Amino acid sequence: MHSTKPHHPHFHSTPYLSPFSDMSNVIVLDNGGGSIKAGHGGERDPSTVIPNCLYRPLSSKKFLHPSPTTADSTEDLTSAAVRRPIDRGYLINPDLQRDIWNHLFTSLLHIAPSNHSLLLTEPLFTLPSIQRATDELVFEDFGFKSLFITDSPNLVHLYEASRRPDGLVSKAQCSLVVDCGFSFTHAAPVFQNFTLNYGAKRIDLGGKALTNYLKELVSYRSVNVMDESFLIDDMKEKLCFVSLDIARDLQVARKRGKDNLLRCTYVLPDGITHTKGFVKDPDEAKRYLTMTGGVSPSLETKKGIDQPEVSDKLEERKRTDLSKNEFELTNERFLVPEMIFHPADLGMNQAGLAECIVRAVNSCHSLLHPVLYESIILTGGSTLFPRFSQRLEMELCPLVPDEYQVKITTQEDPILGVWRGGSLLASSPDFEAMCVTKSEYEELGSARCRKKFFH
């Protein structure tokens, strides 16, 4: 723990600042690897959510700025090239990030940064060199008048505590935030509005890796989609789900005709009648929900039943008519999210999510263990897969001592949860005192200023 008392407002001792109060001179920026959520502090929802990238459709000679409607527009994004400023969770291209932020502040938020303070999220364990680059962007390139930097877990904790003033998270001021984001997945204990860095555990897997795995599976079996980031993202979000019984679902996936409750058809864009991919029969895609949940088998059982997969894939390839602009998905639908629970099955030397949570809890003082297990909060886009929390509970319970109760809560909107926590913090009367001002930065430099954020 830190020796100095945190300046974070203790919302359990205040009237919970809910509904949000207006603090429109603070810009809250949840700068994720996949998307940017940005808006004014004090509001419930961000003003805009855009992909954190530049993209170039085949029809364009230059890279374009994404807009909030990029994913829903009629623009043909087939084989669009993508450039991202953040790789594996960390800022690697400040020039590109500057370009995207400039578009965000001027064209979408319509603000002059010099008149505003900035609350910015930053990944856990960010290197000092990246921190310096971020500070330079904020103060030297954009000239914000003050800055506060924090991490995602404590904002998620703050928001959940404010939503339930009488709940355990609020009363104990303690939770375990599981953030399955675009670049990686963290299990991070939060105590007294502080993320306990020594207890945070990471899996180097996030939404981007899942999309890439789905690209490989589809390309091997049906049609080459290795360049189709936007398309496969859409397919993943609409069709993938978490299996509650891998052995059973693999058996179902091998059945033919109507007995295969997992089979569904995805239609590729043809560039003429439709420029977006779509699910051919949404009801067909939901048939798996009629299957009852079973018990997850051991790893030994899984390895035994995975062997016939290769010959099955060859059979499947023969059956797929590549002249049509569509293809079928079966076991890909649950094998993709399975990565989060068992990365070792793909040859990755990583613990699964349940084990990651146990390690995070065991890193903390034993007195915190019961409350951490009872206040697990899920956030991040990958937690939106159907049956995610049920599967996690099934995997976690056998690993947790019998005297502890496991309780898992999914945020009402796992994509906006971090931003809403930031908006709440920005509307606190203590917020300005927590910030580093531009003049402090110019006088003391990046490293000295960072001490104010307890990094």
Side-chain angles (χ1 to χ4, degrees):
M1 288 295 296
H2 304 281
S3 56
T4 41
K5 190 167 174 58
H7 293 141
H8 287 55
H10 289 277
F11 286 88
H12 62 296
S13 61
T14 66
Y16 275 89
L17 297 175
S18 192
F20 293 87
S21 51
D22 182 36
M23 283 288 288
S24 56
N25 67 326
V26 181
I27 296 300
V28 178
L29 192 61
D30 179 13
N31 199 60
S35 64
I36 298 176
K37 284 71 70 175
H40 296 275
E43 294 179 0
R44 187 172 188 276
D45 288 330
S47 309
T48 187
V49 179
I50 59 168
N52 194 3
C53 65
L54 297 183
Y55 69 101
R56 190 184 70 216
L58 291 177
S59 58
S60 173
K61 287 186 176 163
K62 61 179 185 178
F63 278 86
L64 308 175
H65 283 283
S67 70
T69 57
T70 296
D72 306 315
S73 71
T74 55
E75 187 174 18
D76 190 352
L77 297 178
T78 307
S79 301
V82 179
R83 291 178 62 208
R84 299 186 187 277
I86 291 179
D87 184 49
R88 297 176 199 188
Y90 296 113
L91 181 66
I92 58 159
N93 191 334
D95 293 338
L96 183 55
Q97 191 68 82
R98 183 195 305 117
D99 190 3
I100 293 168
W101 280 7
N102 188 50
H103 172 72
L104 172 71
F105 298 142
T106 56
S107 304
L108 300 176
L109 295 179
H110 308 292
I111 62 153
S114 57
N115 299 330
H116 293 76
S117 301
L118 180 67
L119 187 156
L120 181 66
T121 61
E122 190 173 76
L124 296 169
F125 315 121
T126 298
L127 295 168
S129 58
I130 298 175
Q131 292 178 340
R132 281 196 302 276
T134 303
D135 295 345
E136 284 174 17
L137 270 178
V138 171
F139 285 123
E140 296 177 24
D141 291 317
F142 290 102
F144 277 94
K145 66 178 185 181
S146 64
L147 169 68
F148 182 75
I149 286 186
T150 185
D151 54 69
S152 303
N154 76 58
L155 294 182
V156 169
H157 167 90
L158 193 64
Y159 180 60
E160 290 302 312
S162 76
R163 286 185 65 218
R164 300 184 185 88
D166 299 321
L168 181 64
V169 171
S170 175
K171 286 181 173 173
Q173 278 299 299
C174 182
S175 66
L176 185 79
V177 176
V178 177
D179 185 354
C180 298
F182 179 78
S183 305
F184 34 49
T185 297
H186 282 117
V190 181
F191 183 64
Q192 301 256 317
N193 287 335
F194 265 108
T195 302
L196 306 181
N197 281 359
Y198 59 81
K201 303 299 174 194
R202 171 188 296 169
I203 306 173
D204 291 320
L205 272 176
K208 185 180 181 184
L210 301 190
T211 298
N212 288 342
Y213 185 40
L214 182 55
K215 282 182 188 176
E216 288 175 20
L217 290 175
V218 171
S219 297
Y220 174 71
R221 182 175 286 181
S222 303
V223 57
N224 186 353
V225 290
M226 293 306 289
D227 295 332
E228 306 296 345
S229 297
F230 290 108
L231 188 72
I232 301 300
D233 264 340
D234 179 65
M235 186 188 305
K236 177 188 74 176
E237 289 162 14
K238 287 177 178 166
L239 294 177
C240 286
F241 66 92
V242 173
S243 170
L244 298 183
D245 187 338
I246 281 284
R248 177 206 63 197
D249 290 348
L250 281 169
Q251 296 292 351
V252 172
R254 294 197 182 102
K255 292 181 180 175
R256 305 199 171 201
K258 294 192 174 172
D259 290 337
N260 188 340
L261 297 175
L262 299 174
R263 179 170 286 133
C264 62
T265 304
Y266 190 85
V267 183
L268 295 167
D270 63 7
I272 303 164
T273 57
H274 53 279
T275 55
K276 294 273 178 248
F278 61 91
V279 179
K280 191 172 187 178
D281 182 350
D283 291 333
E284 179 186 55
K286 289 184 179 141
R287 285 185 307 176
Y288 76 91
L289 292 169
T290 61
M291 294 156 59
T292 54
V295 180
S296 185
S298 68
L299 281 172
E300 288 76 24
T301 318
K302 285 171 67 180
K303 279 173 184 157
I305 56 173
D306 275 346
Q307 300 309 315
E309 242 349 68
V310 178
S311 58
D312 273 19
K313 283 181 178 173
L314 294 172
E315 280 281 341
E316 191 75 25
R317 269 183 118 169
K318 288 174 191 165
R319 288 201 296 272
T320 305
D321 180 0
L322 295 182
S323 64
K324 288 186 178 176
N325 228 27
E326 61 187 45
F327 54 86
E328 291 180 334
L329 292 183
T330 52
N331 60 11
E332 299 94 341
R333 299 180 66 189
F334 59 84
L335 287 179
V336 168
E338 188 67 18
M339 284 177 77
I340 295 175
F341 298 97
H342 289 289
D345 288 1
L346 285 166
M348 295 184 69
N349 187 21
Q350 303 256 310
L353 185 55
E355 191 181 335
C356 185
I357 288 171
V358 171
R359 289 181 182 179
V361 172
N362 288 342
S363 300
C364 301
H365 194 286
S366 57
L367 291 176
L368 292 179
H369 292 190
V371 70
L372 286 171
Y373 281 126
E374 210 174 322
S375 52
I376 296 171
I377 304 167
L378 299 183
T379 191
S382 295
T383 63
L384 288 167
F385 288 121
R387 299 179 171 176
F388 188 98
S389 60
Q390 293 101 302
R391 172 65 182 278
L392 181 57
E393 192 169 339
M394 279 170 52
E395 298 243 332
L396 193 54
C397 285
L399 304 178
V400 174
D402 291 341
E403 63 268 28
Y404 299 154
Q405 185 181 348
V406 172
K407 188 173 178 206
I408 300 172
T409 306
T410 304
Q411 288 207 292
E412 56 180 348
D413 191 330
I415 293 172
L416 300 184
V418 173
W419 190 91
R420 286 174 176 164
S423 180
L424 200 62
L425 185 58
S427 58
S428 149
D430 301 332
F431 179 72
E432 287 298 332
M434 293 155 53
C435 292
V436 164
T437 64
K438 191 168 188 288
S439 57
E440 284 174 327
Y441 167 80
E442 288 167 349
E443 181 187 345
L444 301 170
S446 180
R448 290 276 297 278
C449 290
R450 285 277 167 166
K451 292 185 176 174
K452 197 163 184 179
F453 307 142
F454 302 100
H455 277 252

